[in-house]
């Protein structure tokens, strides 16, 4: 406000109606609010959402056998008095059900970044329509903690540590009616001490506004909230109230001495605009990082202010030079391949244009070589045949001599036999 003077008016002008104009415009346009519910399957996410907004949100049951964590979004319009609220509830499906839980939080981080990226793309369009754009950025994350009464799980610490710089985290203890009040108070203290020791930042209800500073200070001492959700109505006295009935008694959802569901609802409604404002701050951080990666900076190398137009022109020139370099590389590769193909075709043409006489001489030479080889084989065969005939002739002569000598021996044997008989 340097250089501005404060003057007093001598009569009514009428610009004090600006807040009323903003109220009428906001009521006409409506509001949007997005809630992210993170918790194990069966921790009571759907029941709590129905209890917070007094509406039965129809939701299909989840399974415990998913290979990875998924996110399911549900959008509906709620109207209270003349105020319209577009509510989006995003729930995790299969969170904590995998054997390997090391990367269970990554799909959640990717989803939050995707909503920031979608808003950034809409913001950077030439013709923007942010007034009618459905803002899907997560305004608050309700992190459900299992009522074990011991300590936070490793997956809880890893998930909240990866999300505390992207979204407003409000830790809550689901199904808080399963442990005693004494254990519950000790469990709350242990959770807060573990969050502080691990450097995890959770959402603190603002205390700078005088109208809500006192109640917010008190509520900050109740974190994390111990909640119970139910849409079943039980008759107590002459009234039908939402409660959970057990053999040992009844837990009333709307009773602050039984659970913190009413506190959570009151704080969400009272500080809804602050949650939206903090979300815009998280988005600005994401936007700055994305634009810096694209080379958009307000200060140049010499600490001088740089306009966005200069940055865009510099990026465009850099991109143009890079495209020219790649185009030149592609041309060189293309020319090299063309030369290789031309050399192959030239060699093929030379082989095809070889004189017919040269081919005939080469074939005749091959034929003569084959004839010589066949002649040598023929001579070897003839020699073998002559040797065989010679051996055959010798064998036949030996056999004829043996057959002639055999009758003479037989005659001599008969003569001796006759002489012996006469004697």
């Amino acid at each position: 406000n340097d250089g501005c003077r404060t003057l007093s008016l001598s009569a009514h002008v009428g610009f004090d109606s600006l807040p009323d104009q903003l109220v009428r415009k906001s009521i006409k346009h409506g509001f949007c609010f997005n809630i992210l519910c993170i918790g194990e399957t069966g921790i009571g996410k759907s029941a709590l959402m129905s209890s917070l907004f007094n509406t039965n949100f129809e939701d299909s049951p989840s399974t415990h056998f998913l290979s990875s964590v998924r996110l399911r979004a549900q959008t509906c319009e709620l109207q209270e008095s003349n105020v319209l609220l577009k509510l989006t509830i995003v729930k995790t499906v299969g969170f904590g059900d995998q054997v390997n839980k090391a990367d269970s939080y990554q799909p959640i981080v990717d989803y939050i970044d995707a909503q920031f990226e979608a808003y950034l793309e809409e913001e950077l369009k030439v013709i923007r329509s942010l007034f009618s754009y459905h803002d899907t950025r997560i305004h608050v994350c309700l992190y459900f903690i299992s009522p074990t009464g011991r300590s936070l799980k490793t997956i809880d610490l890893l998930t909240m540590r990866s999300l505390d710089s992207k979204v407003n985290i409000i830790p809550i203890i689901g199904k808080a009616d399963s442990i005693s009040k004494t254990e519950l108070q000790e469990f709350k203290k242990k959770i807060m001490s573990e969050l502080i020791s691990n450097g995890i930042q959770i959402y603190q209800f603002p205390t700078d506004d005088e109208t809500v500073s006192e109640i917010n200070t008190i509520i900050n001492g109740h974190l994390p909230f111990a909640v119970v959700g139910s849409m079943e109505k039980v008759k107590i006295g002459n009234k039908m109230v939402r409660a959970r009935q057990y053999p040992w008694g009844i837990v009333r959802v709307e009773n602050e001495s039984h659970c913190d569901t009413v506190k959570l609802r009151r704080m969400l409604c009272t500080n809804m605009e602050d949650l939206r404002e903090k979300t815009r701050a998280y988005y600005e951080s994401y936007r700055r990082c994305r634009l810096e990666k694209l080379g958009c900076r307000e200060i140049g190398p010499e600490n001088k202010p740089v306009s966005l137009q200069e940055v865009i022109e510099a990026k465009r020139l850099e991109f143009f030079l890079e495209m020219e370099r790649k185009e030149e590389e592609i041309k060189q590769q293309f020319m090299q391949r063309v030369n290789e193909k031309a050399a192959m075709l030239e060699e093929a043409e030379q082989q095809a244009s070889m004189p017919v006489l040269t081919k005939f001489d080469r074939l005749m030479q091959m034929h003569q070589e084959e004839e010589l080889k066949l002649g040598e084989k023929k001579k070897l065969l003839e020699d073998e045949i002559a040797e065989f005939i010679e051996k055959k002739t010798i064998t036949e002569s030996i056999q004829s001599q043996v057959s002639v000598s055999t009758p003479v021996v037989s005659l001599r044997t008969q003569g001796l036999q006759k002489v012996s008989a006469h004697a």
Side-chain angles (χ1 to χ4, degrees), residues 38 95 140 185 201 266 276 351-352 366 402 404:
I38 303 176
F95 182 78
V140 63
Q185 294 302 322
Q201 300 293 329
R266 186 186 303 121
R276 287 158 51 89
Q351 292 179 357
M366 293 171 60
V402 170
V404 172

Side-chain angles (χ1 to χ4, degrees), residues 124-139:
L124 294 178
K125 285 182 179 179
V126 177
I127 301 176
R128 299 184 297 180
S129 56
L130 293 176
F131 185 76
S132 60
Y133 175 74
H134 179 205
D135 187 4
T136 57
R137 295 174 296 179
I138 301 299
H139 297 118

Side-chain angles (χ1 to χ4, degrees), residues 152-279:
L152 291 173
K153 299 178 182 178
T154 305
I155 187 175
D156 298 331
L157 295 173
L158 290 174
T159 303
M160 284 191 279
R161 185 182 296 169
S162 61
L163 296 178
D164 63 353
S165 61
K166 298 177 180 293
V167 68
N168 303 305
I169 299 177
I170 298 179
I172 59 178
I173 302 172
K175 294 185 176 180
D177 53 344
S178 60
I179 57 177
S180 64
K181 287 189 175 181
T182 305
E183 292 176 340
L184 185 59
Q185 294 302 322
E186 294 296 328
F187 190 36
K188 283 187 175 185
K189 294 178 181 178
K190 190 175 294 184
I191 289 173
M192 293 304 296
S193 64
E194 288 185 355
L195 292 176
I196 294 172
S197 62
N198 286 276
I200 297 174
Q201 300 293 329
I202 63 173
Y203 177 76
Q204 294 289 325
F205 296 101
T207 57
D208 52 353
D209 189 354
E210 295 180 357
T211 57
V212 293
S213 61
E214 185 177 356
I215 183 65
N216 282 350
T217 303
I218 297 173
I219 292 299
N220 283 331
H222 287 82
L223 290 172
F225 294 119
V227 297
V228 176
S230 176
M231 290 301 291
E232 298 179 1
K233 290 190 176 181
V234 179
K235 187 175 182 180
I236 300 177
N238 296 326
K239 295 182 179 180
M240 297 293 293
V241 296
R242 288 201 306 274
R244 299 184 69 91
Q245 190 169 9
Y246 297 96
W248 47 262
I250 297 175
V251 177
R252 297 174 59 180
V253 175
E254 303 290 340
N255 193 333
E256 294 190 35
S257 62
H258 291 181
C259 62
D260 298 331
T261 304
V262 176
K263 293 185 179 69
L264 176 61
R265 178 198 295 153
R266 186 186 303 121
M267 287 301 99
L268 286 178
C269 296
T270 304
N271 301 281
M272 187 173 290
E273 186 56 32
D274 184 72
L275 289 167
R276 287 158 51 89
E277 188 66 29
K278 289 287 182 63
T279 301

